């Protein structure tokens, strides 16, 4: 069956992989393992191999019946060399990925960035079907995007295009993990919402969510935000609305600049918190230029948790390098 490929989603908290029929997007089977911070390159290879082996055993698929292994990973990569250059979330850098994996299984292997492959998944089988210019934006603890231009991923001069989370919305604003300040993701991400809620609680404002925030890390789950919004928690409603407003400012700038035929929004915050999605849309409509604004088309991503696996498998399709 020449239409099967293996897709691997290598993230900061898990390695998930699946056998995908790349003609239909159908998942034959998936398997998932939690990751910890990885020790060295051997550790990376071993964890990838053990997850893939488990998948093959569970699905009863012979690896020689597949087109190969596509891997989408967090962090910065060199696609040509198949190398992971820097991945702070995984705890490793300068790791060759495709060569050892390809050698071990004696089949082709390709590497892509996690947002790029999730966008590929939406292009083939999700909300980007039949479109040739769109942008997928994923909002979570950070904010990243994938760009499709003329039907293929637009990667940019250094392969890092799509860093919408690091467009600057506040001069001299909050410090960002990238080393800059005032970046969109420091105001519009889930981390930004948690920060605002936390500072409200510290000022003595009451909130139903106070026991759900991990004070040491400032992490809060999208579902907890959603239930606090539903219960009418004013502190949470204010923080979510403020972050969504910044997202709308970012989206309007993106639409004015790139004029895509569609914007696809994904990630836990979009899936779980309706208020964020609605407020971001409202702000975008207020800010966008009138001509591109007439064709405004913003929708939710369709592939959810499996976008990474399906998109990574799509790296094995011929027309994507
Ligand atoms: Zn930044």
């Amino acid at each position: 069956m020449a239409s099967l490929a293996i897709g691997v989603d290598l993230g900061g908290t898990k390695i998930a992989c699946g056998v995908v029929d790349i003609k239909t997007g159908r998942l034959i089977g998936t398997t998932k393992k939690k990751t910890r911070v990885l020790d060295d390159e051997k550790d990376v290879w071993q964890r990838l191999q053990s997850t893939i082996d488990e998948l093959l055993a569970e699905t009863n698929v012979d690896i020689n019946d597949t087109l190969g292994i596509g891997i989408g990973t967090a962090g910065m990569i060199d696609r040509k060399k198949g190398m992971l250059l820097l991945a702070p979330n995984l705890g490793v850098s300068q790791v060759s990925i495709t060569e050892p994996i390809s050698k071990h299984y004696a089949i082709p292997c390709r590497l892509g960035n996690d947002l790029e492959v999730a966008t590929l998944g939406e292009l083939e089988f999700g909300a980007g079907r039949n479109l040739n210019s769109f942008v997928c934006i994923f909002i979570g603890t950070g904010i990243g995007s994938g760009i499709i231009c003329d039907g293929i991923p637009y990667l940019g001069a250094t392969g890092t295009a799509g860093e919408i989370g690091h467009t600057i919305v506040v001069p001299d604003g909050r410090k960002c993990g990238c080393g800059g300040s005032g970046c969109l993701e420091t105001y519009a991400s889930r981390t930004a919402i948690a920060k605002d809620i936390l500072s409200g609680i510290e000022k003595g404002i009451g909130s139903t969510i106070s026991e759900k925030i991990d004070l040491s890390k400032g992490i809060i789950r999208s579902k907890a935000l959603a239930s606090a919004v539903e219960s009418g928690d004013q502190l949470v409603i204010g923080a979510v609305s403020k972050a969504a407003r910044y997202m709308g400012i970012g989206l309007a700038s993106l639409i004015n600049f790139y004029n895509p035929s569609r914007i696809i929004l994904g990630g836990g915050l979009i899936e779980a918190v309706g208020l964020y999605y609605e407020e971001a849309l409202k702000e975008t409509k207020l800010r966008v230029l009138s001509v591109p604004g007439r064709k405004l088309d913003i929708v939710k991503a369709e592939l959810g948790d499996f976008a990474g696996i399906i998109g990574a498998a799509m790296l094995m399709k011929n027309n994507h390098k």
Side-chain angles (χ1 to χ4, degrees):
M1 288 207 282
S3 64
L4 296 184
I6 292 167
V8 182
D9 182 0
L10 176 59
T13 54
K14 65 173 184 351
I15 298 180
C17 64
V19 179
V20 182
D21 183 334
I22 65 166
K23 275 194 186 143
T24 61
R26 191 167 75 91
L27 275 165
I28 312 295
T30 60
T31 186
K32 188 161 81 171
K33 277 190 180 183
K34 283 198 169 156
T35 43
R36 43 181 165 75
V37 169
L38 299 158
D39 298 333
D40 54 20
E41 54 183 22
K42 270 193 186 149
D43 195 21
V44 177
W45 303 333
Q46 276 163 7
R47 292 192 66 83
L48 281 170
Q49 282 165 17
S50 72
T51 317
I52 293 168
D53 290 345
E54 202 175 295
L55 173 75
L56 293 170
E58 278 174 15
T59 54
N60 231 348
V61 167
D62 183 337
I63 197 149
N64 294 310
D65 292 336
T66 72
L67 295 164
I69 302 168
I71 301 173
T73 177
M76 287 165 73
I77 56 163
D78 182 325
R79 289 174 184 80
K80 273 192 185 144
K81 291 183 184 158
M83 274 187 77
L84 183 56
L85 300 176
L86 184 68
N89 291 344
L90 302 173
V92 289
S93 60
Q94 300 294 326
V95 178
S96 175
I97 302 269
T98 56
E99 204 191 315
I101 296 295
S102 175
K103 216 170 170 183
H104 179 81
Y105 291 105
I107 56 163
C109 179
R110 288 183 191 145
L111 188 66
N113 169 268
D114 53 354
L115 295 170
E116 168 199 353
V117 303
T119 303
L120 271 182
E122 293 293 331
L123 169 68
E124 296 285 344
F125 306 113
R129 277 186 309 265
N130 307 321
L131 292 177
N132 71 352
S133 82
F134 67 89
V135 179
C136 272
I137 301 172
F138 297 93
I139 303 155
T141 52
I143 297 173
S145 77
I147 303 164
I148 296 295
C149 183
D150 293 333
I152 56 168
Y154 176 75
L155 304 172
T158 58
T160 55
E163 292 286 5
I164 190 175
H166 301 287
T167 51
I168 297 151
V169 292
V170 179
D172 307 316
R174 285 177 179 166
K175 286 264 169 281
C176 179
C178 72
S181 58
C183 294
L184 179 64
E185 74 174 34
T186 65
Y187 289 91
S189 65
R190 213 171 60 215
T191 321
I193 294 172
K195 199 173 221 172
D196 280 343
I197 293 172
L198 193 55
S199 96
I201 290 169
E202 277 165 2
K203 282 181 197 146
I205 303 171
S207 169
T208 55
I209 210 163
S210 50
E211 68 273 15
K212 287 173 186 161
I213 275 196
D214 179 345
L215 293 169
S216 62
K217 291 178 187 162
I219 292 169
I220 190 164
R221 302 188 73 82
S222 298
K223 280 186 184 151
L225 284 174
S227 63
V229 167
E230 252 169 55
S231 71
D233 188 316
Q234 288 306 309
L235 178 63
V236 177
I237 289 172
V240 167
S241 305
K242 183 179 154 199
R245 200 170 153 241
Y246 276 107
M247 194 64 229
I249 291 169
L251 290 175
S253 306
L254 165 70
I255 293 163
N256 292 346
F257 176 66
Y258 182 57
N259 194 18
S261 48
R262 175 170 278 182
I263 288 182
I264 299 169
L265 299 178
L269 200 52
I270 293 296
E271 280 166 30
V273 190
L275 177 70
Y276 184 95
Y277 183 71
E278 287 149 25
E279 290 294 312
L281 244 58
K282 210 195 288 175
E283 191 68 22
T284 309
K285 284 178 190 158
L286 275 178
R287 302 255 179 185
V288 73
L289 285 170
S290 61
V291 176
R294 275 183 224 145
K295 278 207 151 197
L296 204 61
D297 182 13
I298 303 178
V299 301
K300 293 184 185 179
E302 289 178 6
L303 299 185
D305 283 349
F306 297 117
I309 293 176
I310 296 171
M314 294 315 296
L315 289 171
M316 301 317 296
K317 201 178 156 185
N318 288 336
N319 59 345
H320 296 304
K321 56 180 188 309

